[in-house]
Amino acid sequence: MKLAVVGGGSTYTPELIDGFARLRDTLPITELVLVDPAAERLELVGGLARRIFAKQDHDGKVVTTGDLDVGVEGADAVLLQLRVGGQAAREQDETWPLECGCVGQETTGAGGLAKALRTVPVVLDIAERVRRANPDAWIIDFTNPVGIVTRALLRAGHKAVGLCNVAIGFQRKFAGLLGVAPSEVHLDHVGLNHLTWERAVRLGGPEGEDVLPRLLAAHGDAIAGDLRLPRPVLDRLGVVPSYYLRYFYAHDEVVRELGTKPSRAAEVAAMERELLEMYGDPALDEKPALLAERGGAFYSEAAVDLAAALLGGGGSPYQVVNTYNNGTLPFLPDDAVIETQAAVGAHGATPLPVAPVDPLYAGLIANVTAYEDLALEAALRGGRDRVFKALLAHPLVGQYAYADGLTDRLIAHNREHLAWA
């Protein structure tokens, strides 16, 4: 089995390599190709990847290349983990929206739109080249904003599934609190990428006992602390929102906080420099502890599980993924991309039936879906007016004066990545 990782020079990659090595019975890789134009980073990451495989007695071959077409040739699955513009672009996404009093964040709001505009054309070009090289290959997208990028891939007819680590993070957290194996925890996870709620935590499968009330009663303070939301909010909602909901539920508070400290991009850039120095140590043959602070916890387990299921070699029968709605949430169009539990196999991902969604959540889901419609049109067709409309539609912007100012800033900071600008 051959897998290719586009963006293989990412400092995330050793997390992925560690999962491939540990879970080789689930996903028996014979060749792993790391593809990245950044030759120096790629060599550092590739060297560590080979040492991790060797230490864990994995006999798969690790190949590095800057040539996308060579890297994806014959691949059974291609994982996308790109950052167009690098950490420098992320730094901008997190700072210029604050000038208009709006959240600066790389996956939602104005910063998330900027990332979508930079990313969608690049991903579609990569996917088309994958299709030419091997039309049967699956594309697993971990590139943010996952919902918009996955929708672009599916609309273009690619065999694609979107993946995020938020759900597996909750699954592992809840399993630890309950003292059970993660495989025993089934989440009623509903919404869009980075806009989800855990409405139930069931033991044993989709029809199992819901223990979420017990979790909130016994561990509500710890869960609220992780989300940086007040405990009474969780008690009143009776659900566990994704930590990204704090940008919506406490927008002004977050804006004030972001204006008083270095950006997350600056923190990550410093961390990446330290990690790359570590990766260059020929004695290092395991992922360093510092990598846990980089983000992406349990990404490797989620990626292995999804790839194994899609390629017919195993994997969990039910997984939280990003895929077409197809009537699952009746208040959204069929071609909206939702994040929910799905039956996953060689056929792809089919969402499981979802109980009716409370208007408190359905309204926000519908609003952000409308924004994603407009954002994808702006990414595909360009133009200042399309950017303005997408920003005006986003609930974290929503005022014409803000949308105007943010449009000008977005274009100014991203001109080199926007062909139409």
Side-chain angles (χ1 to χ4, degrees):
M1 181 184 298
K2 176 178 177 179
L3 262 69
V5 180
V6 180
S10 168
T11 54
Y12 269 134
T13 300
E15 167 72 27
L16 191 61
I17 301 300
D18 178 72
F20 287 156
R22 288 185 294 102
L23 303 171
R24 55 185 174 273
D25 291 340
T26 302
L27 190 67
I29 298 170
T30 56
E31 182 177 357
L32 176 66
V33 184
L34 306 181
V35 184
D36 204 297
E40 186 175 349
R41 288 173 61 111
L42 184 60
E43 195 53 40
L44 292 173
V45 173
L48 176 56
R50 295 184 187 98
R51 296 193 296 273
I52 291 173
F53 267 28
K55 181 179 182 179
Q56 299 196 33
D57 296 321
H58 194 300
D59 57 7
K61 179 171 65 172
V62 178
V63 177
T64 59
T65 180
D67 189 322
L68 175 70
D69 297 314
V70 170
V72 302
E73 179 70 37
D76 297 289
V78 178
L79 278 68
L80 304 182
Q81 53 174 35
L82 314 178
R83 184 178 295 282
V84 179
Q87 292 297 332
R90 177 180 180 173
E91 169 80 16
Q92 293 177 354
D93 294 344
E94 293 179 349
T95 52
W96 54 261
L98 295 175
E99 297 170 7
C100 294
C102 295
V103 160
Q105 211 278 331
E106 64 159 343
T107 65
T108 191
L113 177 60
K115 193 171 196 302
L117 297 182
R118 293 193 304 269
T119 304
V120 166
V122 174
V123 166
L124 289 178
D125 176 66
I126 291 169
E128 194 55 45
R129 292 161 72 177
V130 170
R131 179 156 54 190
R132 288 200 299 267
N134 182 7
D136 292 326
W138 279 102
I139 295 176
I140 297 173
D141 178 60
F142 195 70
T143 297
N144 281 319
V146 168
I148 294 172
V149 172
T150 301
R151 190 171 186 184
L153 288 166
L154 291 173
R155 274 183 50 170
H158 297 290
K159 292 177 61 177
V161 180
L163 179 64
C164 181
N165 69 319
V166 167
I168 194 172
F170 276 130
Q171 182 200 43
R172 299 304 173 87
K173 174 73 172 180
F174 296 154
L177 293 174
L178 293 166
V180 301
S183 60
E184 290 296 303
V185 175
H186 183 93
L187 302 176
D188 179 1
H189 178 104
V190 65
L192 311 176
N193 180 241
H194 290 184
L195 193 85
T196 52
W197 296 263
E198 312 305 328
R199 300 187 302 170
V201 178
R202 301 190 181 279
L203 293 182
E207 305 303 323
E209 175 194 4
D210 178 16
V211 297
L212 180 56
R214 186 202 312 172
L215 273 170
L216 288 175
H219 304 286
D221 287 344
I223 295 170
D226 287 344
L227 300 174
R228 300 186 65 201
L229 289 171
R231 166 70 185 273
V233 172
L234 298 193
D235 292 337
R236 293 169 71 181
L237 295 178
V239 303
V240 177
S242 159
Y243 45 86
Y244 287 93
L245 264 298
R246 186 168 184 262
Y247 296 117
F248 295 82
Y249 291 164
H251 175 273
D252 293 353
E253 179 182 340
V254 172
V255 168
R256 287 192 294 271
E257 288 177 4
L258 293 175
T260 62
K261 62 181 183 179
S263 68
R264 174 62 177 164
E267 294 174 356
V268 170
M271 200 179 304
E272 286 196 335
R273 289 190 290 271
E274 188 174 351
L275 284 169
L276 288 170
E277 186 174 344
M278 290 179 177
Y279 296 171
D281 181 355
L284 182 67
D285 56 7
E286 61 185 12
K287 64 178 184 179
L290 178 62
L291 188 55
E293 299 177 29
R294 173 66 180 81
F298 308 115
Y299 161 39
S300 59
E301 285 90 342
V304 167
D305 210 17
L306 179 54
L310 293 172
L311 298 175
S316 304
Y318 305 121
Q319 300 180 37
V320 173
V321 297
N322 286 261
T323 192
Y324 270 151
N325 177 46
N326 281 338
T328 307
L329 301 181
F331 55 89
L332 296 183
D334 286 349
D335 67 347
V337 165
I338 62 173
E339 185 171 290
T340 191
Q341 288 279 3
V344 183
H347 66 283
T350 303
L352 300 183
V354 169
V357 178
D358 188 289
L360 179 61
Y361 316 122
L364 187 53
I365 292 170
N367 189 339
V368 175
T369 297
Y371 151 75
E372 291 189 348
D373 291 344
L374 295 167
L376 184 53
E377 284 302 301
L380 294 173
R381 302 174 64 191
R384 188 187 187 283
D385 284 350
R386 292 189 182 93
V387 174
F388 170 80
K389 289 176 182 177
L391 288 168
L392 189 61
H394 201 294
L396 296 183
V397 181
Q399 298 184 52
Y400 72 84
Y402 287 173
D404 251 336
L406 290 167
T407 298
D408 291 337
R409 287 169 171 80
L410 185 156
I411 294 172
H413 285 286
N414 291 275
R415 197 175 299 277
E416 66 181 293
H417 300 292
L418 305 177
W420 52 267

